[in-house]
Amino acid sequence: MQRSIILLVAGVLCAVAFDATPARANVLTLSPSKDNTIFESNTSNSLGAGQAIFSGTNGQAFIRRGLIAFDVANSIPAGSTINSAQLTLFLNNSPSGGPTNPTLRLYRLSNDWGEGIAGNSSTGVNGIGQGFAAGDGDATWNARRFSTTTPTLWNSPGGDFSSIDSASLSIVGTTLNTPYSWQSTPALVADVQGWLDAPATNFGWLLKNDVELNPFSVRGFWTREAARTNQSAFIPQLQITFTPIPEPTATVLLLGTLLLPLRRRPR
């Protein structure tokens, strides 16, 4: 009798499995969990609390590199599949002269870094292009966490990042507040999927100019601190499309409950 019931229920379960509704893709837009700029010419400066993230080379031929990260694991259900990922930044600083269309690339960072409070007294994007004196924990050109006594250094000055870029984009034009989007690529998707599956490896991206020998190629973009001067519309955005793991249907759950007493019945 028991075996007959089990076979009957198993057959129903198979039928239900064929009737399962596939999970639908969801779209989520994240703001950064932290962002910063590191400065080759001012190795003890940082811009973690400033309203601009810089990438490129200024008129004095000094390099700036941007750092940006998003909290993926606390925003998307574990086990989900990442289908696409797109990063959008809004231009807020562009020098006159120099290359008209510098190419900026995103590289996956391989070590953690600090945002800090350098620049927290700034009230805009003017006069911050050199950064500010770093405090404990700020990322700088030489240190991923600055300290006057015991800094945690990058393995290589200028940041630890993948040798292969995840996405690239040419910044054409100088109109401020224009959005620029690094479109989804297999590498961007792999980065975000990795951060979801292994949150301890999520160190974000480094934003680097393709040719750092070109003066006046630096570009500035709004950071998550844009809200401080009522510029919330220009906060960076990471748009992710993902498919969560399908949840069991109510019928499957009910049949599982019916089977449980049979499995526990003593022989």
Side-chain angles (χ1 to χ4, degrees):
M1 178 66 178
Q2 178 178 331
R3 181 178 178 182
S4 298
I5 295 175
I6 292 176
L7 290 174
L8 174 62
V9 175
V12 175
L13 280 172
C14 291
V16 171
F18 283 107
D19 191 40
T21 302
R24 294 182 178 180
N26 294 315
V27 179
L28 178 69
T29 300
L30 299 180
S31 297
S33 55
K34 57 182 179 179
D35 43 42
N36 206 338
T37 302
I38 56 179
F39 302 84
E40 179 199 33
S41 55
N42 306 92
T43 57
S44 293
N45 280 12
S46 189
L47 196 56
Q51 293 176 296
I53 179 174
F54 292 103
S55 179
T57 306
N58 69 0
Q60 290 75 46
F62 294 131
I63 299 168
R64 285 91 175 86
R65 292 175 179 172
L67 312 171
I68 191 166
F70 297 84
D71 189 355
V72 174
N74 284 323
S75 306
I76 296 176
S80 297
T81 298
I82 305 300
N83 303 318
S84 68
Q86 173 182 291
L87 175 67
T88 299
L89 301 179
F90 296 84
L91 191 72
N92 70 10
N93 197 289
S94 181
S96 58
T100 57
N101 56 340
T103 297
L104 304 185
R105 298 181 184 271
L106 294 171
Y107 294 86
R108 179 175 48 81
L109 283 155
S110 55
N111 265 318
D112 201 10
W113 48 277
E115 181 181 49
I117 60 172
N120 66 341
S121 61
S122 61
T123 57
V125 297
N126 295 320
I128 65 175
Q130 302 296 328
F132 298 87
D136 285 348
D138 287 342
T140 67
W141 189 264
N142 292 332
R144 52 194 183 92
R145 295 191 184 279
F146 177 81
S147 169
T148 56
T149 55
T150 56
T152 303
L153 302 179
W154 298 105
N155 292 327
S156 300
D160 303 332
F161 54 94
S162 172
S163 60
I164 301 174
D165 66 290
S166 296
S168 65
L169 176 69
S170 292
I171 308 301
V172 180
T174 59
T175 303
L176 301 186
N177 300 330
T178 298
Y180 287 92
S181 295
W182 284 257
Q183 300 293 332
S184 186
T185 65
L188 278 184
V189 170
D191 290 346
V192 176
Q193 185 73 65
W195 298 339
L196 174 63
D197 297 340
T201 67
N202 182 2
F203 311 126
W205 289 298
L206 179 136
L207 184 62
K208 180 178 177 292
N209 195 310
D210 196 31
V211 182
E212 293 184 316
L213 297 178
N214 290 336
F216 298 101
S217 63
V218 68
R219 296 295 185 269
F221 303 90
W222 288 102
T223 65
R224 73 191 191 110
E225 285 78 14
R228 203 163 65 227
T229 48
N230 299 317
Q231 303 292 343
S232 298
F234 305 124
I235 291 175
Q237 302 172 1
L238 177 61
Q239 186 180 80
I240 303 170
T241 302
F242 67 94
T243 303
I245 295 177
E247 295 184 2
T249 64
T251 306
V252 171
L253 291 174
L254 176 60
L255 291 172
T257 303
L258 292 173
L259 275 174
L260 188 60
L262 296 176
R263 293 177 61 188
R264 291 180 175 175
R265 181 176 177 179
R267 296 183 177 181

